[in-house]
Amino acid sequence: MVFFAILMGLLPSFLMVALGGLVRSRLSVNAWQGLDKLNFEILFPTLIFVAASSRPIDPRDILTVGPAVWAILLAGLALGYLARRFGPDRFLDFAGAWQTAWRFNTAMAFVAVATLAEPPVGMLAVAVGMAIPMANVFAVSSLSRGSGSLAQTLKKVATNPFLIASVSGVIVGLSGITIPAPIMAPLDMLAQAAIPVALISVGATMNWGALARLDMFSGIICATKLIALPTLTMIACIVLDTDPVLARTLTLFAALPTASASHVLAAGFGADRELSATLVAQSTLLSAATLPLWITAITLVF
């Protein structure tokens, strides 16, 4: 019954992804790219800021959540490298695919957390805020190896709207400042639009036949992201007797599919865009089966 309830909670979001696939031909490629740009620059940063700033944040949360999510990302990086021998010969192409082993889908994070009892939205926002810069630094470092463009790309990471929104939201949460209602109202409206727009866009740009191309290389990468990371995180939380709210947040974070825009970063560095886009689609489609299972486990264990 718990699994069925969680599945029903996630079903509307996966149906939104399916809707995107159905209506993809109704808009041009440029229109979908513009929608992605709107979400990246405005809607999702607003959602992250609102989630992080809407509750007081204990400084101890930062010191606890930060190292924990960084450890999860580092584990994804290390385990994902096990696929190197099965991947493309050119390291740059491998790096474009490798990043999908630790990057995460922020839209799905806020969808999934809502299915938990007493959703730890604020703590999840802190986790996302602490993870975004590190995930991007890992990705940029691997993609820029030998390219001589590290300084320029690190500057792009520092000006990432997600990073700016995360840091700003955490600062407001730490300060205890209450943002006036007339200012928060439009921010709330923008935040509410972020998830449906992101889900429809994912469905519209995703390769729906990607599962047919699942091989040893992509299997290891997807298994790292969807199985190994949440398994290791859950075991660590049990062994360390982690606070239940933090344990639910970290395990959910670890179980998320990869970032839907990973292929955009890969293409920006000249890596194989199709390979990373295929991995994004595979991770997203497989998460329709794995994510409800992990949320059920989280509910029963913690």
Side-chain angles (χ1 to χ4, degrees), residues 13 16-17 39 43-44 47 105-114 190-202:
S13 298
M16 291 289 282
V17 175
N39 219 21
L43 299 183
F44 242 100
L47 173 62
N105 189 314
T106 308
M108 198 57 68
F110 286 99
V111 167
V113 74
L190 290 171
Q192 291 170 10
I195 290 176
V197 169
L199 294 175
I200 291 175
S201 182
V202 166

Side-chain angles (χ1 to χ4, degrees), residues 14-30:
F14 285 114
L15 289 176
M16 291 289 282
V17 175
L19 175 62
L22 291 173
V23 302
R24 66 193 305 173
S25 61
R26 304 288 294 180
L27 296 178
S28 67
V29 173
N30 289 338

Side-chain angles (χ1 to χ4, degrees), residues 25-247:
S25 61
R26 304 288 294 180
L27 296 178
S28 67
V29 173
N30 289 338
W32 288 116
Q33 290 175 345
L35 202 60
D36 283 339
K37 187 73 170 175
L38 173 67
N39 219 21
F40 180 77
E41 296 286 350
I42 299 176
L43 299 183
F44 242 100
T46 305
L47 173 62
I48 294 171
F49 174 81
V50 169
S53 63
S54 60
R55 65 181 272 277
I57 296 176
D58 189 325
R60 290 173 295 184
D61 288 346
I62 303 293
L63 298 177
T64 303
V65 175
V69 295
W70 297 337
I72 293 170
L73 297 177
L74 189 59
L77 184 148
L79 292 174
Y81 195 78
L82 297 176
R84 178 68 182 103
R85 59 178 293 206
F86 304 104
D89 293 333
R90 192 169 70 135
F91 183 83
L92 181 60
D93 293 334
F94 167 73
W98 184 25
Q99 60 166 326
T100 63
W102 67 82
R103 295 185 67 189
F104 54 93
N105 189 314
T106 308
M108 198 57 68
F110 286 99
V111 167
V113 74
T115 64
L116 295 175
E118 299 181 4
V121 177
M123 183 168 287
L124 179 67
V126 173
V128 168
M130 301 300 288
I132 285 171
M134 190 63 71
N136 281 280
V137 166
F138 285 168
V140 165
S141 298
S142 61
L143 284 163
S144 63
R145 195 182 77 168
S147 69
S149 60
L150 182 58
Q152 180 180 359
T153 50
L154 285 178
K155 181 179 179 181
K156 291 182 180 179
V157 171
T159 56
N160 186 306
F162 281 38
L163 174 60
I164 295 172
S166 302
V167 172
S168 301
V170 168
I171 290 174
V172 173
L174 288 171
S175 69
I177 295 173
T178 299
I179 300 177
I183 297 177
M184 280 302 297
L187 294 179
D188 285 333
M189 294 171 67
L190 290 171
Q192 291 170 10
I195 290 176
V197 169
L199 294 175
I200 291 175
S201 182
V202 166
T205 57
M206 188 167 64
N207 176 7
W208 286 85
L211 287 183
R213 301 174 61 182
L214 197 67
D215 55 17
M216 180 64 74
F217 175 67
S218 57
I220 293 174
I221 296 290
C222 290
T224 293
K225 187 72 196 74
L226 302 176
I227 299 175
L229 289 187
T231 298
L232 291 173
T233 302
M234 178 172 280
I235 291 173
C237 288
I238 293 171
V239 171
L240 297 174
D241 194 23
T242 305
D243 173 76
V245 176
L246 178 59

